[in-house]
Structures are given as structure tokens and as C-alpha cells.
Amino acid sequence: RHGENPGIKKALPSLDEVAEAFFEIDEIEGRHVKQERNRYQKHLAPYFGKDDLTAISDTGLTRHKGLLLKTLSPASVKLVFALLRRMINFALRKRMWTGTNPVSSQSDFKMPKVENKGERHLFPEECQLLLDALEKRSPQLRDMAMLSLRTAMRATELFDLKGKDVRPETNSIFIEAKGGKRYEVFVADDVIQMLLHYRKGPDDHLFTSRDGGRLKQIPKTFNRVVLD
């Protein structure tokens, strides 16, 4: 076409440009991005923001991981690189860039190891990151995780929850624990509204499998999201 030089290739977007498009889509879809924007601006933008994605190598990422580990916990550093992985996957899906994600599980870059010593409570930002990732894969699984985080419900208690257990008039739900004992838990308005959204009959399970039956185990999607 007139005015175009076929010998000049279009410049690849910088990571800053990819990040802006990534956060814009998340905001349009109603997700909270403030924490992740702050994480990007503090831990990624100063080092990779002006580079296009071809300049981000596994060697550079490994060096940056070592730098971050001097001041941050392995769990916090893992959140930084999980965010970068999601942004690059976004760029690939939107055809902003073609290539191999240098933060993927197939690359030579290794995520920080997080020691699993007994119980470890999630930080608020980790909870939100988990919920956002689950929402993209399975809204029901996201709701189950949110309910568990807010009430400490076990998986089997989530599976057994029925329409009659939701009491909007008292902002509470009834949970059947081991041994058949039932107890009442008071929850916030947004939890009640989320559960009522399922519009189930009194004896219908709120959360169901693909065939509409009672869930028997946490879907594999959960583990894939956690390990991603």
C-alpha cells in the first residue's frame, strides 16, 4: 500500500505496552488490578519495562530472581514471575508477539522454590491472585475458593452445601461438619449474594459437577491454576 515500506518491520511492543493492555482488559472485566499494577511497577518495570519481549531471556530472569530474593520471600518473588508469565501469555494470545514464553514451565527458567513446612497462610494479595486466576478458568471453582477462604470450610463441606443452607434473612449459612453436626456461620452480604446467584432448590447442591451431580473431589483445574 502507498506510504508503507515493506522492508521496514513493525516494532515489537515493549513490556510496558503489553502490561498496559493487560491491565486495561482486566479492569474492563471488573478485576482488581491495583496490587498487581504496584507489583509490576516496583519489581518488573524498572528492569524489563522498556524492552520488547525478545530481549527477556531466561538468563536475565534468573539474575533478576536472585536480586529479588535478597529482599523478598520466595513466595513473593514467585508472585512477581507469575504475573510476568500471565502478561506474556496475554501478549501471545492477542498476537502482540510470537515466540516462546521465557517464564513458561518449558523454559530453562525456574520459579523460586517455596518451602512447604506445615501450614502456611496466604497473604491477601496471594488470595486475590488465586481468585483472579480461578475466575478465568472456572467461575464456580473461584466461588468455592472464595467461600473457603472466607469461612475456612473444608472441601467436603463445600460439596454438601445445599440451597436450604443459605439464610439471607440472617446473613448466615449452615454447614454440616463431620459426624453430621450442623453449625451456623455468619457471612458478609457479598457471600450471600454470590450463593443466591446459583438459584438452587432447597435440596439441591449449590456446587455441582459437570453432569449436575454432587462433587466428589476438587476439580483438577484448581491444581493447574495453583501450579501455573
Side-chain angles (χ1 to χ4, degrees), residues 31-83:
R31 298 187 182 92
H32 299 289
V33 301
K34 183 177 179 181
Q35 287 181 332
E36 290 200 338
R37 272 189 183 276
N38 289 340
R39 183 178 294 118
Y40 175 77
Q41 291 298 332
K42 186 173 183 179
H43 301 301
L44 290 171
Y47 306 92
F48 304 110
K50 303 305 178 185
D51 296 333
D52 67 55
L53 301 189
T54 59
I56 301 176
S57 66
D58 49 42
T59 301
L61 292 171
T62 300
R63 290 195 185 108
H64 190 52
K65 177 178 69 174
L67 178 65
L68 293 179
L69 285 171
K70 292 180 180 179
T71 56
L72 299 175
S73 69
S76 295
V77 175
K78 188 173 182 179
L79 286 175
V80 172
F81 289 105
L83 172 60

Side-chain angles (χ1 to χ4, degrees), residues 106-168:
Q106 285 75 42
S107 73
D108 289 335
F109 174 76
K110 303 300 180 185
M111 283 285 198
K113 291 185 178 180
V114 179
E115 296 294 332
N116 183 20
K117 297 179 180 179
E119 288 189 357
R120 186 181 78 81
H121 296 286
L122 294 176
F123 293 108
E125 60 182 10
E126 292 178 300
C127 293
Q128 191 59 55
L129 182 63
L130 173 63
L131 294 177
D132 289 345
L134 287 172
E135 187 173 14
K136 294 178 180 179
R137 304 282 188 91
S138 169
Q140 175 179 272
L141 194 51
R142 183 266 180 197
D143 291 342
M144 291 171 64
M146 188 268 274
L147 187 58
S148 180
L149 287 168
R150 300 279 283 273
T151 64
M153 290 177 67
R154 297 183 176 90
T156 53
E157 294 170 345
L158 292 168
F159 301 161
D160 287 334
L161 199 61
K162 295 182 178 180
K164 63 185 178 183
D165 297 322
V166 182
R167 306 294 176 87

Side-chain angles (χ1 to χ4, degrees), residues 5 88 195:
N5 187 336
I88 296 178
L195 295 174

Side-chain angles (χ1 to χ4, degrees), residues 183-202:
Y183 59 96
E184 187 175 19
V185 174
F186 295 93
V187 295
D189 289 339
D190 63 323
V191 174
I192 291 293
Q193 292 306 313
M194 178 270 287
L195 295 174
L196 291 177
H197 176 74
Y198 284 86
R199 302 179 184 277
K200 294 298 181 73

